């Protein structure tokens, strides 16, 4: 233990061991449950509906059926949701329980680990940042696999780090490492981007295991080894390029669906979000990392390796979303906490020496100490409140969305207004297939260019295997649908409508009749009733062709067959 580390532990107001090791993690677990409960019933977003609908399909058909297709990604997670539905009934709240529990476990385990390996102050700072982070709180009530992925990855890292730090017996160490391997496999299964986190973990392991041996070598050997490593890396890269694998690997690393094209070259994407949420902490990250390395070298090397590798590689990857970097955020918060804790004694001393140069000191030493503490507390509160994460956390609990997040589309409010038109339309077209299935009970044609770009067959009216329904992108394909059927309904998410191909909006406004829906629902709807003009009736009937059986609508009744064209 370094002198600085001993000083930190002496200056921290540490709670008794029994309280810190049991009661505080349990308390944080309960607080995390309360935070998640505040927003557990909010309207589901698009990706969440994949698992709700697929879990319903599993219970009804024995396969992850959605309409006439199937959604097989992360099937074990969908099975978990289906199991909760079977036990407690289908609802959005029930579907969010696994993510809520994973979030609560993450916060409590992370705190216990940080408190054991660092100091109470570092543990509390890092854990509160994790507990209230908009990045993590979003995942706590998100019906996807991210919360479980992050918890599995962090738990695996904790098992590996504590095994190296504790040096348990062979049997105990083997059990811990085997459990860590299983947890890492779960994280990769749920989200392949976990491999980047594992790369950072491997870098740390190399530093820990080979570092002391390397530093003990002669100067010539220390110079030769990195040169040899660089040469081997160059040879491997050459072989990959010559074999054609490098191009395909880079293409996969950088490829994105059409809806993410705007961010594919935004290498500053994650930097932007960190500046937005943590401006005061992020801009001093290098200094906090340096202070962490001085006070808690092994922990700082671990957290720095995982976060820095993850941050850099995810920044240059094609697909970007804060969820993709979620596995690395706990380690960033650990660096924030360790760095502030390491600098805290110096900050206290600086405040004490500076404050009484500005103001006359009180006569009482107790009053002097209380004033210094008050200044520190007020300054810390300002740092917390001045970061964008704080208002974002509060508005998340209140169900308010702030820019740059788009507004949620209120399909539930629009459904009663759309129901008469749904019942009398020969064909239903939408640009949000999952919401149409979940809230409206069905649809026939999806018009969404990005979805068509994801399919192996990118021709108009190709069927999406996830739903089994045809997908179109152009105004010409929409007109072909219009020509096939006497009556039709087009229901659109207005946010997604902005990505429509040229000519679609013009066709809707000129050829179809808009329905008077409330604008704040962010749902646009159009109808038509005319004499169809298409000559190819076989093509027209193929548009609304159904599989023999399909999952039921949200009400539990079978999805109504849409009449085919005459």
């Amino acid at each position: 233990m370094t002198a600085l580390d001993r000083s930190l532990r002496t200056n921290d107001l540490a709670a008794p061991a029994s309280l810190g090791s049991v009661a505080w993690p349990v308390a944080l677990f309960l607080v995390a449950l309360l935070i998640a409960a505040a927003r557990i019933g909010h309207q589901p977003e698009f990706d969440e509906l994949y698992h709700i609908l697929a879990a319903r399909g599993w219970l009804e058909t024995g396969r992850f059926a959605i309409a006439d297709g199937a959604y097989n990604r992360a099937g074990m997670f969908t099975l978990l949701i289906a199991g909760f539905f079977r036990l407690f009934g289908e609802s959005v709240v029930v579907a969010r329980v696994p993510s809520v529990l994973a979030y609560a476990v993450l916060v409590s385990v992370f705190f216990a680990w940080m408190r054991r390996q660092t100091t109470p102050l570092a543990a509390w700072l890092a854990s509160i940042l994790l507990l209230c982070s908009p990045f993590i709180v979003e995942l706590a009530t998100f019906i996807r696999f991210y919360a479980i992925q992050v918890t599995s990855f962090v738990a695996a890292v904790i098992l590996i780090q504590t095994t190296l730090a504790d040096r348990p017996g062979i049997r105990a160490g083997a059990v811990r490492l085997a459990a860590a391997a299983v947890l890492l496999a779960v994280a990769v299964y749920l989200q392949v981007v976990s491999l980047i986190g594992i790369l950072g973990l491997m870098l740390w392991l190399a530093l820990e295991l080979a570092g002391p041996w390397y530093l003990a070598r002669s100067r010539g050997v220390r110079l030769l080894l990195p040169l040899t490593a660089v040469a081997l890396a160059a040879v491997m890269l050459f072989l990959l390029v010559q074999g054609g694998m490098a191009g395909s690997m880079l293409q996969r690393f950088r490829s994105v669906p059409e809806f993410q094209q705007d961010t594919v070259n935004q290498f500053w994407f994650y930097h932007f979000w960190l500046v937005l949420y943590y401006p005061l902490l992020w801009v001093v990250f290098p200094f906090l990392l340096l202070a962490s390395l001085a006070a808690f070298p092994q922990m700082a090397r671990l957290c720095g390796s995982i976060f820095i590798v993850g941050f850099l590689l995810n920044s240059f990857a094609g697909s970007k979303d804060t969820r993709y970097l979620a596995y690395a955020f706990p380690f960033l918060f650990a660096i924030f906490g360790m760095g502030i804790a390491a600098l805290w004694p110096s900050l206290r001393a600086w405040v004490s020496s500076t404050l009484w140069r500005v103001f006359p000191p009180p006569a009482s030493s107790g009053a002097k100490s209380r004033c210094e503490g008050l200044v520190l507390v007020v300054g810390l509160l300002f740092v917390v409140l001045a970061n964008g994460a704080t208002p974002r956390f509060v508005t998340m609990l209140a169900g308010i969305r702030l820019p740059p997040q788009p507004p949620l589309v209120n399909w539930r409010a629009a459904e009663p207004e759309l129901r008469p038109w749904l019942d009398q339309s020969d064909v239903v077209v939408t640009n949000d297939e999952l919401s149409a299935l979940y809230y409206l009970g069905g649809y026939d044609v999806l018009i969404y260019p990005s979805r068509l770009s994801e399919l192996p067959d990118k021709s108009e009216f190709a069927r999406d295997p996830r739903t089994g329904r045809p997908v179109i992108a152009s105004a010409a394909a929409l007109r072909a649908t219009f020509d096939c059927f006497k009556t039709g309904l087009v229901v659109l998410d207005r946010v997604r409508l902005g990505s429509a191909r040229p000519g679609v909006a013009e066709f809707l406004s000129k050829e179809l009749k808009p329905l008077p829906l409330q604008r704040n629902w962010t749902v646009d709807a159009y109808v038509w009733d005319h004499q169809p003009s298409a000559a190819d009736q076989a093509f027209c009937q193929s548009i609304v062709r159904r599989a023999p059986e399909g999952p039921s609508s949200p009400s539990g009744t079978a999805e109504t067959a849409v009449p085919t064209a005459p």
Side-chain angles (χ1 to χ4, degrees):
M1 183 184 295
T2 65
L4 178 57
D5 197 8
R6 286 193 296 270
S7 173
L8 288 168
R9 292 181 183 275
T10 302
N11 284 283
D12 273 325
L13 299 176
S18 59
L19 181 65
S21 60
V22 179
W24 287 124
V26 171
L28 283 170
F29 181 88
L30 296 176
V31 171
L33 292 182
L34 289 175
I35 289 173
R39 64 188 309 269
I40 196 170
H42 70 86
Q43 180 179 325
E45 298 185 34
F46 178 83
D47 285 352
E48 297 180 90
L49 295 175
Y50 271 125
H51 296 289
I52 294 177
L53 294 169
R56 179 193 297 163
W58 175 267
L59 294 176
E60 295 181 354
T61 68
R63 50 189 291 268
F64 300 125
I66 298 180
D68 299 323
Y71 184 75
N72 295 309
R73 184 182 179 190
M76 296 302 293
F77 178 76
T78 304
L79 278 177
L80 180 62
I81 301 300
F84 273 77
F85 282 175
R86 189 183 295 277
L87 290 173
F88 305 108
E90 180 186 326
S91 73
V92 170
V93 170
V94 170
R96 289 187 168 129
V97 170
S99 294
V100 169
L101 293 175
Y103 161 67
V105 169
L106 171 66
V107 173
S108 58
V109 169
F110 179 80
F111 172 81
W113 175 57
M114 286 289 296
R115 193 176 191 278
R116 183 184 178 207
Q117 300 299 327
T118 59
T119 65
L121 178 60
W124 276 111
L125 290 171
S127 299
I128 290 173
L129 286 169
L130 180 67
L131 178 73
C132 301
S133 169
F135 297 134
I136 304 300
V137 172
E138 177 190 25
L139 304 184
T141 55
F142 194 57
I143 310 170
R144 291 286 268 179
F145 34 74
Y146 294 103
I148 298 177
Q149 173 226 347
V150 173
T151 302
S152 298
F153 181 79
V154 171
V157 171
I158 291 173
L159 286 171
I160 293 171
Q161 187 274 327
T162 53
T163 300
L164 264 65
D166 298 346
R167 304 287 183 178
I170 295 177
R171 180 176 298 178
V175 170
R176 288 192 195 182
L177 294 178
V182 171
L183 289 169
L184 289 176
V186 170
V188 173
Y189 166 76
L190 293 174
Q191 176 53 272
V192 71
V193 78
S194 302
L195 289 171
I196 298 178
I198 293 175
L199 184 62
L201 177 62
M202 291 174 61
L203 174 62
W204 172 77
L205 283 171
L207 293 173
E208 291 300 306
L209 299 177
W213 176 88
Y214 173 76
L215 293 175
R217 301 305 97 185
S218 66
R219 182 177 179 181
V221 173
R222 291 203 305 269
L223 181 62
L224 180 62
L225 286 176
L227 292 176
T228 303
V230 170
L232 289 174
V235 170
M236 183 176 295
L237 179 61
F238 175 78
L239 293 175
L240 289 173
V241 171
Q242 290 297 108
M245 294 180 60
S248 62
M249 291 170 63
L250 181 62
Q251 192 275 333
R252 183 176 181 183
F253 182 69
R254 295 281 295 156
S255 64
V256 296
E258 189 170 319
F259 76 92
Q260 289 187 322
Q261 286 292 338
D262 291 344
T263 60
V264 66
N265 291 320
Q266 289 183 5
F267 306 116
W268 58 89
F269 180 87
Y270 297 105
H271 169 73
F272 164 80
W273 281 100
L274 287 168
V275 167
L276 181 65
Y277 282 168
Y278 303 101
L280 296 178
L281 295 174
W282 179 239
V283 296
V284 296
F285 170 77
F287 303 105
L288 294 177
L289 177 59
L290 184 62
S292 301
L293 287 167
F296 316 101
Q298 187 186 71
M299 285 287 288
R301 287 194 298 267
L302 169 64
C303 297
S305 297
I306 293 175
F307 175 74
I308 292 172
V309 169
F311 176 81
L312 291 176
L313 291 184
N314 279 278
S315 293
F316 286 90
S319 295
K320 295 181 181 66
D321 194 295
T322 56
R323 299 164 192 162
Y324 302 158
L325 193 59
Y327 67 88
F329 286 135
F331 304 99
L332 174 64
F333 300 144
I335 292 170
F336 286 163
M338 290 187 292
I340 294 172
L343 297 173
W344 189 253
S346 299
L347 180 61
R348 291 180 64 179
W350 178 82
V351 168
S352 178
S353 64
T354 304
L355 184 63
W356 308 125
R357 296 178 188 174
V358 180
F359 303 100
S364 166
S365 61
K368 182 178 179 182
S369 178
R370 286 192 294 274
C371 289
E372 292 170 359
L374 179 62
V375 170
L376 282 167
V377 169
V378 171
L380 186 60
L381 283 175
F382 178 82
V383 169
V384 171
L385 296 175
N387 281 283
T390 303
R392 178 68 191 113
F393 170 71
V394 173
T395 54
M396 285 179 76
L397 298 188
I400 301 170
R401 293 172 71 87
L402 297 177
Q405 290 186 308
L408 281 175
V409 181
N410 198 343
W411 288 85
R412 191 178 299 281
E415 188 272 338
E417 299 294 324
L418 297 172
R419 179 57 54 192
W421 302 98
L422 287 163
D423 294 339
Q424 68 186 39
S425 295
D426 295 334
V427 66
V428 176
V429 181
T430 186
N431 64 354
D432 184 342
E433 67 274 38
L434 299 185
S435 295
L437 285 166
Y438 186 73
Y439 293 103
L440 308 182
Y443 77 99
D444 299 291
V445 179
L446 175 68
I447 178 167
Y448 191 42
S450 182
R451 189 73 70 246
L452 190 61
S453 72
E454 299 171 34
L455 303 183
D457 179 5
K458 295 177 173 50
S459 59
E460 302 276 10
F461 295 98
R463 290 186 177 259
D464 185 348
R466 289 162 289 196
T467 61
R469 301 288 166 85
V471 185
I472 63 175
S474 66
L478 181 58
R479 176 172 285 281
T481 306
F482 172 78
D483 290 340
C484 274
F485 301 97
K486 182 178 187 298
T487 60
L489 169 67
V490 180
V491 187
L492 303 171
D493 172 342
R494 193 181 306 130
V495 176
R496 284 190 169 196
L497 186 58
S499 63
R501 293 277 171 84
V504 170
E506 292 78 1
F507 176 81
L508 291 171
S509 61
K510 290 181 180 179
E511 303 290 346
L512 278 63
K513 173 187 174 182
L515 295 182
L517 303 180
Q518 289 190 29
R519 184 160 184 80
N520 61 358
W521 293 346
T522 324
V523 178
D524 291 334
Y526 302 83
V527 294
W528 76 79
D529 187 346
H530 73 151
Q531 187 60 37
S533 58
D536 189 347
Q537 292 303 309
F539 162 73
C540 293
Q541 292 182 11
S542 71
I543 293 176
V544 292
R545 185 176 63 241
R546 294 285 184 272
E549 295 181 0
S552 67
S553 66
S555 63
T557 58
E559 183 176 305
T560 305
V562 179
T564 59

